[in-house]
Amino acid sequence: MIDWTIIKILSWTESYFKDHCIDSPRLTAEVLLAHCLGIKRLDLYLQFDRPLQKNELSGFRILIKRRVRNEPVAYITGEKGFFESDFKVGTGVLIPRPDTETIVEQALKILDPGKKKSCTKTVLELGTGSGVIIISLAKEFGNHLYFASDISPVALEIAKKNAEKIALGRICFFSCSWFSSLKETPRFDLIISNPPYIPTGDIRGLEPEITKFEPMIALDGGRDGLDSFKDILKKAHNYLNPGGKILLEMGFDQKEGVKNISGQYPQYEFIEFIRDLAGHSRVVLIKKIN
Ligand code: GLN
């Protein structure tokens, strides 16, 4: 019988994942084994010749099976790093993508109080999911007032836990489909969202990690992918203070569509598209006129 030490099981799992076309097979094996043993990834190598107990082996086998059935690593470990913090995630919320750091960086520029420490802005995030955007903002600038909504109770629960851990709970979360339960009063200085924007017809072609596990409600943007932008821009001006801003993440090929929608409303002034590191326009900044 093989004595399954940490190093042996890592090599075996790496080649098993390779055979099953799993991305980054070695890294995945390390992350899952460390999670299973409750230790840090690098500690695996400090204990490389430690034999695994029977229950550790059977626990690890279950994790391997889940990954081979396409479950994303973040759902298996229950967490994902985003913008310098580790966020709790789970089925029912979108796994945060590095792409979304572009909108966070842009929002931080808008919210930076500079020398005027007393300046307080009111910020609303729509469709907060695991809360990564609003929490990253609240963690950086504690002087503003933060609100975040989601239609999904599961998402709100996860977001609240993340906020307690990372941003000391400085955010007011509430259940809402876009603006449905908000009184029409201008009170926000910034409305931010990473809404669903994938055209329905494109979803079938995405990786099974996404189609089998991630919440469609967080991804499906309707026939042309632009439904959320139509819904949000139709109403956002009623909730923004004069000069208030809207920041939205979008698909790299949705520039024209988003600009057309914003142009239908005289209340807005289009400001700019912001590019990601790959040079694609991935965020739009729109301002409500004064
Ligand atoms: N705001 C969350 C994120 O960017 C959720 C977005 C969504 O569910 N579309 O990960």
Side-chain angles (χ1 to χ4, degrees):
M1 214 177 79
I2 306 181
D3 200 5
W4 284 110
T5 58
I6 285 184
I7 199 77
K8 274 191 201 151
I9 195 89
L10 279 179
S11 309
W12 183 89
T13 312
E14 179 183 9
S15 65
Y16 187 75
F17 280 159
K18 237 183 238 162
D19 293 346
H20 287 80
C21 304
I22 299 296
D23 263 357
S24 317
R26 181 73 182 193
L27 177 66
T28 305
E30 290 174 1
V31 170
L32 293 184
L33 184 58
H35 173 70
C36 173
L37 300 179
I39 59 177
K40 294 213 169 68
R41 217 181 99 217
L42 293 180
D43 290 339
L44 292 170
Y45 290 96
L46 298 177
Q47 309 174 20
F48 69 95
D49 55 355
R50 141 145 120 74
L52 296 187
Q53 314 276 334
K54 239 182 166 173
N55 63 330
E56 291 173 333
L57 266 178
S58 51
F60 187 47
R61 199 169 299 128
I62 293 172
L63 304 191
I64 294 174
K65 275 197 196 143
R66 286 173 66 181
R67 183 65 195 96
V68 167
R69 288 190 193 123
N70 303 114
E71 186 167 348
V73 173
Y75 286 154
I76 301 177
T77 61
E79 62 174 30
K80 178 79 186 171
F82 178 86
F83 218 82
E84 299 164 14
S85 300
D86 283 331
F87 287 84
K88 179 181 160 60
V89 294
T91 40
V93 291
L94 198 73
I95 298 169
R97 308 295 204 266
D99 311 35
T100 299
E101 298 194 347
T102 305
I103 194 170
V104 172
E105 276 159 8
Q106 199 57 36
L108 288 176
K109 284 187 197 160
I110 294 172
L111 295 177
D112 188 345
K115 289 199 179 87
K116 293 184 282 171
K117 287 280 178 239
S118 59
C119 137
T120 298
K121 291 191 166 137
T122 308
V123 183
L124 169 66
E125 185 190 5
L126 300 171
T128 192
S130 61
V132 287
I133 296 179
I134 201 87
I135 293 170
S136 302
L137 302 178
K139 183 179 172 224
E140 189 68 26
F141 296 126
N143 54 308
H144 301 304
L145 293 175
Y146 296 96
F147 298 84
S149 70
D150 205 289
I151 194 173
S152 148
V154 177
L156 286 173
E157 200 163 304
I158 293 180
K160 279 181 197 163
K161 287 202 177 120
N162 279 325
E164 274 159 31
K165 187 179 105 188
I166 299 163
L168 308 168
R170 277 191 296 253
I171 302 152
C172 169
F173 290 97
F174 59 101
S175 165
C176 195
S177 164
W178 299 143
F179 300 101
S180 66
S181 62
L182 281 179
K183 224 171 103 197
E184 271 191 22
T185 328
R187 67 176 100 177
F188 297 106
D189 298 299
L190 175 65
I191 295 177
I192 187 166
S193 183
N194 172 19
Y197 53 73
I198 300 176
T200 309
D202 291 359
I203 289 187
R204 248 178 297 124
L206 301 175
E207 296 159 8
E209 274 75 1
I210 302 175
T211 53
K212 281 166 70 178
F213 290 93
E214 295 207 76
M216 278 311 123
I217 193 177
L219 295 164
D220 189 344
R223 207 175 53 80
D224 58 3
L226 297 170
D227 283 2
S228 320
F229 304 103
K230 292 173 199 157
D231 292 342
I232 293 173
L233 292 173
K234 187 174 165 191
K235 299 255 172 87
H237 53 86
N238 295 321
Y239 300 87
L240 278 173
N241 287 327
K245 290 175 178 152
I246 306 173
L247 268 181
L248 303 172
E249 182 172 314
M250 55 183 230
F252 71 95
D253 54 358
Q254 293 178 325
K255 266 172 89 164
E256 288 315 308
V258 171
K259 205 166 172 179
N260 283 340
I261 299 166
S262 127
Q264 287 166 22
Y265 300 95
Q267 293 90 337
Y268 298 130
E269 181 187 343
F270 164 80
I271 302 289
E272 64 174 319
F273 289 108
I274 296 118
R275 292 167 192 270
D276 63 13
L277 290 177
H280 300 301
S281 294
R282 294 300 309 280
V283 171
V284 63
L285 173 59
I286 295 164
K287 190 173 153 196
K288 178 173 168 180
I289 51 174
N290 282 309

